[in-house]
Amino acid sequence: MKAATFRRDRRIRFSDCDPAGIVFYPQYFVMDNGLVEDWFNDALGVDYAALVTQRRIGLPTVRLEVDFRAVSRFADLVTLSLRLLRLTRRSITLQLDCTGDNGGVRMAMRQVLVATSLQTHAAVEIPADVRTAIERDWPAAPALD
Amino acid sequence: MKAATFRRDRRIRFSDCDPAGIVFYPQYFVMDNGLVEDWFNDALGVDYAALVTQRRIGLPTVRLEVDFRAVSRFADLVTLSLRLLRLTRRSITLQLDCTGDNGGVRMAMRQVLVATSLQTHAAVEIPADVRTAIERDWPAAPALD
Amino acid sequence: MKAATFRRDRRIRFSDCDPAGIVFYPQYFVMDNGLVEDWFNDALGVDYAALVTQRRIGLPTVRLEVDFRAVSRFADLVTLSLRLLRLTRRSITLQLDCTGDNGGVRMAMRQVLVATSLQTHAAVEIPADVRTAIERDWPAAPALD
Amino acid sequence: MKAATFRRDRRIRFSDCDPAGIVFYPQYFVMDNGLVEDWFNDALGVDYAALVTQRRIGLPTVRLEVDFRAVSRFADLVTLSLRLLRLTRRSITLQLDCTGDNGGVRMAMRQVLVATSLQTHAAVEIPADVRTAIERDWPAAPALD
């Protein structure tokens, strides 16, 4: 089965950094939010903005586990990568890493997203087109629930 | 031994929220960063800004585990709270929660901070005044390393 | 006629600052956005969040003129102040200043807000309760349009 | 003399948008800050991060005039553009626009930057390499001071 890692390079901006001159850690989550958008649009072929604004389906985060192993500095070129860990009826678990240009991992995150109705904020099933696109190309551990 | 929870109320701002009308989750980390600042300044009696800008000691995050259990909406009044879980020679582990005005937990985070030199970004010992202030009033599980 | 300046103190946060150790200037606009919220809620007696989320009236900015005269540093205590400059059928022009604890002006901004429908993003008349509250207590130059 | 406009396309992100579903206006300044970085690195051939972190020269904003003419929505593809308006011994005045994919201007900004020492935050002369690079390729109104 084919490898399934989605990657985007990103230059660290002045606006990403704090008075210590390194990435202010909440900014990693802003970057990764953009990576998930790109994964939907460019890899899954699902229009993420239409999902949110027209179909009114959200994908809020319900669980994060993050290790910060090395700092990123202003102007560093980093690579953000995404792999699927698990897909259930209502949730998507992703591994999101940030690596430096020498390949060293700076940030490693396991993130659980759930599909929700943006009317009620209650969990809903992952839409069929999203599920189909993920299952087609993104092998993971089998769904358990 | 006295209870040891540090609390601050916070109104959710328009600028904290996303197109789904709820707190954009990285914003919780910005709020909690401010809570840690306040804990240093107001509870520990250690000038946090002087620690960073003059003494050149940073407290970057090395590990996060976060559960998001309920959404916070624009204009909600939330309470951010902080408890010490563990203190080691070089690290501080905190429990940081965000609760709504009915007491329900919206976000529960376990955060490990390490003291670092802002010259080298290498780990250093927690400064004596910080350690003394924590040990004086903030009971936790005993240090293991 | 009584003086009419709305003020809030604000501590400059680590998260407000950039690698130069001073407030990253877009952050002033985030602070001022909060000041306008507080002015609505606390001075005008109009629930700003309900205006946006239930009544679906927005107050986007259409014009800004800003002078940055001195830097603000991490941990500075600043005062944000708001005065009304002009009220028209559809717009509110505000003077928003940020002063340091010695009274020196760091940032002085003239901001024009217009009322819009959040369905269409087209300009609409300022709601009657907002207009009445402003005209009652916030003298300004007479409306011209 | 050759045309001199520096352009970068940018997709509007979920994280750029507010509960009204449109770009939260301070976010335009974050985008434009990145555009100025790119202009230095890619057009002027001056390493912007080295300028700030090694040479300790900052380019804070001292004056902004901004018109917001139309909203940008989540997922819009916009073009950010930069032209030089004026170069003096210590300041650079830029015209920064954001246009939609139909060419309509959403945001038009005139921004005055001054060179400062990041030790003292006092104004200094624009470094010779920056001046030379600007004068070589970026015609503007003649310097007056």
Side-chain angles (χ1 to χ4, degrees):
Chain A
M1 209 157 185
K2 72 173 179 177
T5 301
F6 182 77
R7 291 187 181 84
R8 283 286 182 274
D9 292 338
R10 169 79 149 73
R11 185 70 63 180
I12 300 299
R13 298 293 189 172
F14 186 82
S15 59
D16 295 321
C17 296
D18 65 21
I22 59 177
V23 170
F24 183 55
Y25 83 87
Q27 207 56 26
Y28 279 116
F29 305 117
V30 175
M31 293 182 209
D32 277 326
N33 214 66
L35 187 71
V36 172
E37 281 177 41
D38 289 342
W39 181 54
F40 269 72
N41 292 325
D42 301 344
L44 300 184
V46 174
D47 183 328
Y48 187 87
L51 186 72
V52 170
T53 59
Q54 292 162 32
R55 302 164 66 183
R56 306 295 292 150
I57 303 290
L59 284 168
T61 299
V62 293
R63 171 85 183 158
L64 284 180
E65 293 169 39
V66 197
D67 288 295
F68 298 93
R69 297 184 190 157
V71 300
S72 293
R73 290 180 172 82
F74 177 29
D76 283 359
L77 183 65
V78 298
T79 300
L80 304 171
S81 64
L82 176 158
R83 284 177 298 129
L84 182 74
L85 295 181
R86 190 162 177 257
L87 179 67
T88 73
R89 277 197 309 127
R90 296 177 168 182
S91 75
I92 302 170
T93 303
L94 301 173
Q95 178 71 34
L96 296 160
D97 294 337
C98 175
T99 51
D101 56 9
N102 63 356
V105 174
R106 276 104 183 259
M107 194 267 323
M109 171 162 69
R110 188 183 169 107
Q111 179 177 36
V112 184
L113 307 171
V114 287
T116 61
S117 157
L118 290 178
Q119 261 75 45
T120 64
H121 295 290
V124 297
E125 296 207 0
I126 292 169
D129 58 328
V130 175
R131 169 172 303 284
T132 301
I134 293 175
E135 288 177 341
R136 188 185 55 219
D137 291 329
W138 298 86
L144 299 179
D145 63 351
Chain B
M1 209 157 184
K2 72 173 181 178
T5 302
F6 182 77
R7 290 187 180 84
R8 283 287 182 274
D9 292 338
R10 168 79 148 73
R11 185 70 65 181
I12 301 298
R13 298 292 190 174
F14 187 81
S15 59
D16 295 322
C17 297
D18 66 19
I22 60 177
V23 169
F24 183 54
Y25 84 88
Q27 206 58 24
Y28 279 115
F29 305 116
V30 175
M31 293 183 209
D32 278 326
N33 214 65
L35 187 71
V36 172
E37 281 176 41
D38 289 342
W39 180 55
F40 268 72
N41 292 324
D42 301 344
L44 300 184
V46 175
D47 182 328
Y48 187 87
L51 186 72
V52 171
T53 60
Q54 293 162 31
R55 301 164 66 185
R56 305 295 293 150
I57 302 291
L59 285 167
T61 299
V62 292
R63 171 83 183 161
L64 285 180
E65 293 170 38
V66 197
D67 288 296
F68 299 92
R69 296 184 189 156
V71 299
S72 292
R73 290 181 172 82
F74 177 28
D76 282 359
L77 183 66
V78 298
T79 300
L80 304 172
S81 64
L82 175 157
R83 283 176 299 129
L84 182 74
L85 294 181
R86 189 162 179 257
L87 180 67
T88 73
R89 276 197 309 127
R90 296 178 167 183
S91 75
I92 302 170
T93 303
L94 301 173
Q95 178 71 34
L96 296 160
D97 294 337
C98 175
T99 51
D101 56 9
N102 63 357
V105 174
R106 274 104 183 259
M107 193 269 321
M109 170 162 68
R110 188 185 169 106
Q111 180 177 34
V112 185
L113 306 172
V114 288
T116 60
S117 156
L118 290 178
Q119 261 74 46
T120 63
H121 296 290
V124 298
E125 295 208 2
I126 292 170
D129 59 329
V130 176
R131 170 172 303 283
T132 300
I134 293 175
E135 289 177 340
R136 188 184 57 219
D137 290 329
W138 298 85
L144 299 180
D145 64 350
Chain C
M1 209 157 184
K2 72 174 181 179
T5 301
F6 182 78
R7 291 187 180 83
R8 283 286 183 273
D9 291 340
R10 169 79 149 73
R11 185 71 63 182
I12 300 299
R13 299 293 190 172
F14 187 82
S15 59
D16 295 321
C17 296
D18 65 20
I22 59 176
V23 169
F24 183 55
Y25 83 88
Q27 206 58 24
Y28 279 115
F29 305 117
V30 176
M31 294 183 207
D32 278 325
N33 214 65
L35 187 72
V36 172
E37 281 176 41
D38 289 343
W39 180 55
F40 268 73
N41 292 324
D42 301 344
L44 299 185
V46 175
D47 183 328
Y48 187 86
L51 186 73
V52 170
T53 61
Q54 292 163 32
R55 302 164 67 184
R56 305 296 291 150
I57 302 290
L59 284 166
T61 299
V62 293
R63 171 83 183 158
L64 284 179
E65 293 168 39
V66 197
D67 288 295
F68 299 92
R69 296 183 191 159
V71 300
S72 293
R73 290 181 170 81
F74 178 26
D76 283 358
L77 183 65
V78 298
T79 300
L80 304 171
S81 64
L82 175 157
R83 284 177 297 129
L84 182 74
L85 295 181
R86 188 161 179 258
L87 180 66
T88 72
R89 277 196 310 128
R90 296 177 167 183
S91 75
I92 302 170
T93 302
L94 301 173
Q95 178 71 35
L96 295 160
D97 294 338
C98 175
T99 50
D101 56 10
N102 63 356
V105 174
R106 275 103 183 262
M107 193 268 322
M109 169 162 70
R110 188 184 169 107
Q111 179 177 35
V112 185
L113 306 171
V114 287
T116 60
S117 157
L118 291 178
Q119 261 75 44
T120 63
H121 295 291
V124 297
E125 296 207 1
I126 292 170
D129 58 328
V130 175
R131 169 173 303 283
T132 301
I134 293 175
E135 289 177 340
R136 189 185 55 220
D137 292 329
W138 297 85
L144 300 180
D145 63 350
Chain D
M1 209 158 184
K2 74 174 179 178
T5 300
F6 183 76
R7 292 187 180 84
R8 282 286 182 272
D9 291 338
R10 168 80 149 72
R11 184 71 64 182
I12 300 298
R13 298 293 189 172
F14 187 80
S15 59
D16 295 321
C17 296
D18 66 20
I22 59 177
V23 170
F24 184 54
Y25 84 87
Q27 206 57 26
Y28 279 115
F29 305 117
V30 175
M31 293 182 208
D32 278 325
N33 214 66
L35 187 71
V36 173
E37 281 176 41
D38 289 342
W39 180 54
F40 268 73
N41 292 324
D42 301 344
L44 301 184
V46 175
D47 183 328
Y48 187 87
L51 186 72
V52 170
T53 60
Q54 292 162 32
R55 302 165 66 183
R56 305 296 292 151
I57 302 290
L59 285 167
T61 299
V62 293
R63 170 84 184 161
L64 284 181
E65 293 169 38
V66 196
D67 288 295
F68 299 93
R69 297 185 189 156
V71 300
S72 293
R73 292 181 171 81
F74 177 28
D76 282 359
L77 183 64
V78 297
T79 300
L80 304 171
S81 63
L82 175 157
R83 284 177 297 130
L84 182 74
L85 295 182
R86 189 162 179 258
L87 180 67
T88 72
R89 276 196 310 127
R90 297 177 167 184
S91 75
I92 302 170
T93 302
L94 301 173
Q95 177 71 34
L96 295 160
D97 294 336
C98 175
T99 51
D101 57 8
N102 63 357
V105 175
R106 276 104 183 258
M107 194 265 324
M109 171 161 69
R110 188 183 169 108
Q111 180 177 35
V112 184
L113 306 172
V114 287
T116 60
S117 156
L118 290 179
Q119 261 75 43
T120 63
H121 295 291
V124 297
E125 295 207 1
I126 292 170
D129 58 329
V130 175
R131 168 173 303 283
T132 300
I134 294 175
E135 289 177 341
R136 188 184 57 220
D137 290 329
W138 297 85
L144 299 180
D145 64 350

